[in-house]
Amino acid sequence: MATEILMPALSPTMEEGTLAKWLVKEGDQVASGDVIAEIETDKATMEFEAVDEGVMGRILVPEGTEGVKVNAPIAVLVAEGEDAAAVPEAAPAADAAAEAAPAGSSETAAPPAQPITPVVPNEPDIPAGTEMKPTTVREALRDAMAEEMRADPTVFVMGEEVAEYQGAYKVTQGLLDEFGDKRVIDTPITEHGFAGLGVGAAFGGLKPIVEFMTFNFAMQAMDHIVNSAAKTLYMSGGQMGAPMVFRGPNGAAARVAAQHSQDYAAFYSSIPGLKVAMPYSAADAKGLLKTAIRDPNPVIFLENEILYGRSFDVPVMDDFTVPFGKARVWREGSDVTIVSFGIGMTYALEAADALAQDGIAAEVIDLRSLRPMDTGTVVQSVMKTNRCVTVEEGWPVASIGNHISAVLMQEAFDYLDAPVINCTGKDVPMPYAANLEKLALVTTAEVIKAVRAVTYR
Amino acid sequence: MAARKTTKKPNVSKDELLHYYREMLMIRRFEEKAGQLYGMGLIGGFCHLYIGQEAVVVGLEAAANEGDKRVTSYRDHGHMLACGMDPKGVMAELTGREGGYSKGKGGSMHMFSKDRHFYGGHGIVAAQVPIGAGLAFADRYLDNGRVTFTYFGDGAANQGQVYETYNMAKIWDLPVVFVIENNQYAMGTSVKRATKSPSLWERGAAYGIPGEEVDGMDVLAVKEAGDKAVAHCRAGKGPYILEIKTYRYRGHSMSDPAKYRTREEVQKMREERDPIEGVRQILLTGNHATEDELKGIDKEIKEIVNAAAEFSKESPEPALDELWTDIYAEAG
Ligand SMILES: Cc1ncc(C[n+]2csc(CCOP(=O)(O)OP(=O)(O)O)c2C)c(N)n1
Ligand SMILES: [Mg+2]
């Protein structure tokens, strides 16, 4: 009996991959557990083991094929003695897989083929005519760290799996090779300990970059982030502080459930003494991280696993930085202001595209840093549009959206033609089930609905 | 590692051996199936398989009494099967369906069963350690003679809360067995790179807690150590530490390329120290069972696992209003 071997899902966010190499040929005997192929996922090259035993009847997808969808048949295994030639050619992999996306895939996980570019290229930090290079957020973050480490020998990176493993999400890829184990340091699983140690190292004259494998685990270290890092400058009457960066992926990934899916944007933004940045694009990831490393204060730098693989244009410049407290207008419009940051921008921009087709012109603002926050740009925009919708992945109570609403009420009350609507994640822990997870997250449809509500259209 | 040294202890019956064989094989086949369903996209997120470590939970469950408790990390499928939870309910939780132990809301890393005294399923490394001591605190408070098995990894053993817990557990002589499942790696970090302590169990000495190292690829050795630890706890002498040397054959989770160790290292362990193969050999060489009998068991287990997989595919996704339930308990 012939058994189809299907392209496996090998990571929570994988939807397609490259069949890098076949390690067996047609006619080879295969036992369960044998490595039959190497597959490149969004994160790594993985060995793919056979589950069933038999003889490799036919290889349907040749090695080197990119973009093979999860669950597409890639080979056919036959029983011993069975005629491999009798196995019919399968339909081309791409078609066969069309409806077979994994249950857990979030619609937003697939990296778009083209870099995402703003409609309004109003970046004042980039001189006109600068060459742009498509770069993933992951690469941009790595480049930022590498550049700052080259420039300042007191900058070092510390965290779980950052060195030899090249980063759990491959953000620190190559740093160990370039900077050695004095400056790229694997820690034991001791978040409270190494966060505190990082604070001490900062007091002692170094500039630590502390990576949390994800920000969910920074909760173990919360005391040092808040009580030690954020407050010491004040408590010492300005004598000493903690110039350092706490960084890592934040927010929901895909199907990793309640303890691993939480957006800490509002959490950290409420703490005086901390600065908080949360980039969306690769250029901002790079420019803001460089600013964060140079900043003389503790900076919480919130990244996103789903954004890591997305590609954006990044300016090719010797020293490109993005200042804190300066929002970026991605799209101009006169009917409504949509304010977002981080992965929320995905929904904001998708909604703006869809609304434009119905003649509603949305102005989309990416806050980029949350503390300090560029509320001035938001207020200016709302004075023009008279309506505002905020978008974030975090919970609704005491959210960033709540804060913006309060600012608008105080500073632009007379300009508002409708109450501000906050689009947020639902007020529940993140469920695992695919259908519930989808409901728990904020969606583009919800943003569109909110815009229609505030514009009465 | 040395060649197989498992020998049948004189006091181990055929039934007991067959029980171990069956239980370990169940976990192995279940996990292989879970790996397959993950590859097909039916299971999402993180999925940490227990393949290679089966003797640990099977040996310790054999030392437990009804009513004893257990708590562990995200690598929890084996613990749940070994303590008598239904493979169907576990697999359906992995696929995120209504028929799962947490109605599909917890997933692979977060399952619980009050009935079977299984307290999770915890995603934060080492968080289960003080929780386990807390369960034991309640048992001592209620004076019910129960023991709690608190499982954690070699990586977790470096978290500070473990030592805060050791200290409290000994001050109050809590009936808790701390089970360190030392599978030699914490994700990509080998034990040797994470600590300079020559052994993990000896750290208990600083708090006055006895313990020992156990060969975790030998289910009989695990059972024997478990008996001793449980007797210590039940006698009111407080906590006990078992550092069980084991090995995970698969990557840390489904998405780990496992470049930090060689294929040969894994292969050698599989060939020379496999816990299931070990019991199988004792059964066959001691003439306790024939190849055919064991094949019969294999087949039986395959059917149970297939039925669990079927159930996990057929069970519907949770109703949409489940999103809003179980956030708060109703005040009585
Ligand atoms: C506090 C915390 N930090 C980091 C992680 C990410 N993480 C998950 S499992 C793991 C390795 C744990 O290794 P070990 O304790 O040896 O258990 P094993 O996975 O080998 O069973 C890490 C670093 C986490 N879940 N929680
Ligand atoms: Mg381990």
Side-chain angles (χ1 to χ4, degrees):
Chain A
M1 196 187 64
T3 318
E4 275 185 340
I5 298 177
L6 307 179
M7 182 73 169
L10 295 169
S11 89
T13 44
M14 174 173 173
E15 293 189 340
E16 57 177 41
T18 299
L19 211 163
K21 194 168 174 198
W22 278 109
L23 301 171
V24 290
K25 4 180 243 315
E26 291 180 358
D28 282 0
Q29 190 78 36
V30 174
S32 133
D34 284 358
V35 180
I36 56 172
E38 283 179 7
I39 288 170
E40 278 172 35
T41 72
D42 48 346
K43 282 202 287 200
T45 302
M46 303 275 298
E47 292 182 334
F48 177 36
E49 295 179 5
V51 187
D52 301 299
E53 53 189 20
V55 173
M56 186 53 73
R58 192 186 282 277
I59 285 174
L60 304 171
V61 176
E63 63 182 32
T65 309
E66 289 177 20
V68 184
K69 294 270 186 291
V70 165
N71 269 340
I74 54 174
V76 178
L77 207 60
V78 294
E80 222 168 324
E82 200 176 348
D83 185 4
V87 176
E89 295 266 4
D95 297 351
E99 23 143 43
S105 66
S106 101
E107 287 148 298
T108 54
Q114 292 295 311
I116 304 159
T117 42
V119 174
V120 186
N122 70 336
E123 189 57 73
D125 318 301
I126 306 171
T130 303
E131 184 197 339
M132 301 298 264
K133 186 174 162 213
T135 309
T136 62
V137 171
R138 177 181 279 120
E139 293 160 348
L141 292 165
R142 195 236 1 249
D143 293 350
M145 285 187 279
E147 286 177 19
E148 292 309 298
M149 289 176 80
R150 278 173 214 137
D152 181 350
T154 64
V155 177
F156 71 98
V157 187
M158 179 170 77
E160 292 159 22
E161 309 290 1
V162 298
E164 291 194 14
Y165 199 86
Q166 308 294 326
Y169 296 96
K170 299 288 174 270
V171 174
T172 51
Q173 184 125 38
L175 294 184
L176 175 66
D177 281 351
E178 181 175 350
F179 300 102
D181 61 7
K182 182 180 176 189
R183 300 180 68 194
V184 184
I185 303 162
D186 279 326
T187 64
I189 311 171
T190 50
E191 286 84 1
H192 192 209
F194 68 72
L197 191 148
V199 173
F203 289 172
L206 302 183
K207 304 204 82 181
I209 302 172
V210 172
E211 172 175 311
F212 292 113
M213 192 176 283
T214 78
F215 260 95
N216 303 289
F217 315 140
M219 294 233 271
Q220 299 276 320
M222 199 59 100
D223 180 62
H224 278 308
I225 298 173
V226 177
N227 267 326
S228 308
K231 298 176 183 172
T232 298
L233 185 69
Y234 194 80
M235 297 188 300
S236 69
Q239 292 179 73
M240 65 169 83
M244 64 190 302
V245 178
F246 297 99
R247 52 155 289 273
N250 165 67
R255 304 290 305 281
V256 293
Q259 291 187 331
H260 283 76
S261 314
Q262 189 168 331
D263 174 13
Y264 292 91
F267 237 80
Y268 289 111
S269 294
S270 72
I271 295 161
L274 293 180
K275 293 190 177 183
V276 181
M278 188 156 158
Y280 164 60
S281 76
D284 289 343
K286 181 171 182 187
L288 288 169
L289 184 53
K290 283 166 66 81
T291 299
I293 294 168
R294 291 177 199 182
D295 199 282
N297 296 286
V299 179
I300 302 290
F301 199 87
L302 302 171
E303 303 162 9
N304 185 285
E305 187 190 337
I306 291 168
L307 292 179
Y308 278 153
R310 297 230 189 132
S311 194
F312 298 79
D313 277 339
V314 173
V316 180
M317 288 167 63
D318 283 345
D319 190 19
F320 169 67
T321 57
V322 171
F324 288 160
K326 212 167 164 336
R328 173 178 188 177
V329 179
W330 273 73
R331 186 178 177 120
E332 282 176 345
S334 51
D335 295 331
V336 61
T337 302
I338 305 179
V339 184
S340 190
F341 49 93
I343 194 163
M345 284 297 295
T346 311
Y347 312 111
L349 291 171
E350 276 177 15
D353 275 345
L355 290 160
Q357 304 198 339
D358 290 348
I360 301 176
E363 180 142 301
V364 182
I365 297 175
D366 178 357
L367 291 171
R368 305 198 290 190
S369 69
L370 301 174
R371 189 179 184 106
M373 186 187 286
D374 183 4
T375 50
T377 294
V378 177
V379 170
Q380 283 298 318
S381 174
V382 170
M383 285 177 168
K384 173 175 76 177
T385 64
N386 311 113
R387 297 142 210 281
C388 183
V389 168
T390 66
V391 186
E392 69 196 287
E393 201 183 64
W395 286 310
V397 178
S399 63
I400 297 289
N402 287 173
H403 175 67
I404 293 170
S405 307
V407 169
L408 288 174
M409 195 155 64
Q410 286 163 13
E411 296 181 18
F413 188 74
D414 292 337
Y415 293 87
L416 283 172
D417 284 348
V420 178
I421 295 184
N422 301 143
C423 296
T424 65
K426 308 306 176 292
D427 198 13
V428 301
M430 185 63 75
Y432 166 72
N435 62 336
L436 299 186
E437 186 188 56
K438 224 176 251 171
L439 275 186
L441 291 164
V442 62
T443 63
T444 301
E446 285 163 357
V447 179
I448 293 172
K449 197 171 153 213
V451 167
R452 291 193 185 284
V454 298
T455 56
Y456 309 108
R457 291 161 75 164
Chain B
M1 184 159 287
R4 183 180 309 289
K5 56 175 192 235
T6 304
T7 47
K8 180 188 174 307
K9 310 275 189 299
N11 55 344
V12 182
S13 70
K14 167 186 172 172
D15 282 354
E16 195 177 333
L17 288 166
L18 281 174
H19 169 79
Y20 296 146
Y21 181 72
R22 185 188 301 272
E23 293 287 297
M24 289 195 289
L25 198 64
M26 169 72 96
I27 296 172
R28 172 95 28 117
R29 295 285 172 263
F30 182 96
E31 293 291 67
E32 286 167 354
K33 182 61 81 178
Q36 236 174 316
L37 297 184
Y38 191 96
M40 292 161 69
L42 284 160
I43 296 172
F46 292 131
C47 181
H48 308 84
L49 301 183
Y50 199 63
I51 297 177
Q53 303 183 208
E54 297 90 346
V56 181
V57 288
V58 170
L60 290 179
E61 282 298 335
N65 283 356
E66 181 56 38
D68 287 346
K69 301 181 168 73
R70 60 285 287 166
V71 63
T72 189
S73 70
Y74 44 83
R75 196 179 301 286
D76 54 358
H77 311 165
H79 303 71
M80 295 187 284
L81 297 175
C83 77
M85 288 167 66
D86 180 358
K88 285 185 176 163
V90 178
M91 197 69 97
E93 189 59 39
L94 297 185
T95 54
R97 305 302 172 92
E98 184 186 270
Y101 269 97
S102 302
K103 304 180 208 164
K105 291 156 82 164
S108 165
M109 299 187 287
H110 312 299
M111 269 183 258
F112 306 82
S113 168
K114 211 157 183 197
D115 272 1
R116 295 309 313 140
H117 313 287
F118 179 73
Y119 287 84
H122 297 266
I124 302 302
V125 167
Q128 74 274 24
V129 179
I131 292 172
L135 290 166
F137 183 92
D139 285 335
R140 218 192 82 124
Y141 190 100
L142 300 170
D143 199 17
N144 60 15
R146 303 284 185 241
V147 168
T148 297
F149 293 86
T150 300
Y151 295 87
F152 55 102
D154 48 281
N158 291 317
Q159 283 282 35
Q161 54 183 317
V162 172
Y163 301 93
E164 299 177 18
T165 302
Y166 279 2
N167 194 39
M168 290 186 286
K170 187 56 203 170
I171 296 175
W172 300 317
D173 272 339
L174 305 180
V176 52
V177 182
F178 294 110
V179 184
I180 306 169
E181 293 196 64
N182 183 349
N183 61 9
Q184 307 183 37
Y185 293 93
M187 207 168 268
T189 305
S190 65
V191 181
K192 287 186 198 68
R193 291 210 298 125
T195 181
K196 297 289 177 197
S197 301
S199 79
L200 300 174
W201 70 267
E202 281 182 277
R203 294 181 186 176
Y207 304 88
I209 306 177
E212 63 192 88
E213 182 182 308
V214 184
D215 179 358
M217 305 310 271
D218 177 352
V219 70
L220 301 180
V222 175
K223 161 72 162 59
E224 198 174 290
D227 283 340
K228 188 169 158 193
V230 166
H232 180 92
C233 290
R234 284 211 222 280
K237 295 182 191 162
Y240 199 90
I241 300 172
L242 298 176
E243 179 184 352
I244 306 198
K245 289 289 190 59
T246 179
Y247 199 77
R248 74 167 150 72
Y249 294 175
R250 298 293 188 97
H252 167 76
S253 68
M254 295 303 296
S255 46
D256 171 20
K259 297 281 188 249
Y260 44 82
R261 61 183 186 189
T262 63
R263 253 201 104 63
E264 290 69 47
E265 178 184 309
V266 182
Q267 211 46 40
K268 194 171 155 63
M269 198 56 101
R270 277 183 157 169
E271 277 161 19
E272 295 177 6
R273 301 299 332 276
D274 188 72
I276 301 178
E277 193 51 32
V279 171
R280 195 182 141 80
Q281 285 311 321
I282 300 173
L283 280 163
L284 291 174
T285 55
N287 291 323
H288 298 290
T290 62
E291 287 273 5
D292 275 353
E293 265 177 89
L294 296 185
K295 270 205 184 117
I297 294 177
D298 294 5
K299 189 160 166 274
E300 222 176 278
I301 284 170
K302 229 178 186 160
E303 278 160 15
I304 295 173
V305 168
N306 284 340
E310 273 320 298
F311 178 78
S312 79
K313 293 178 198 167
E314 278 158 16
S315 176
E317 291 191 298
L320 296 182
D321 54 12
E322 282 293 348
L323 183 67
W324 301 103
T325 64
D326 307 320
I327 299 161
Y328 295 101
E330 293 295 328

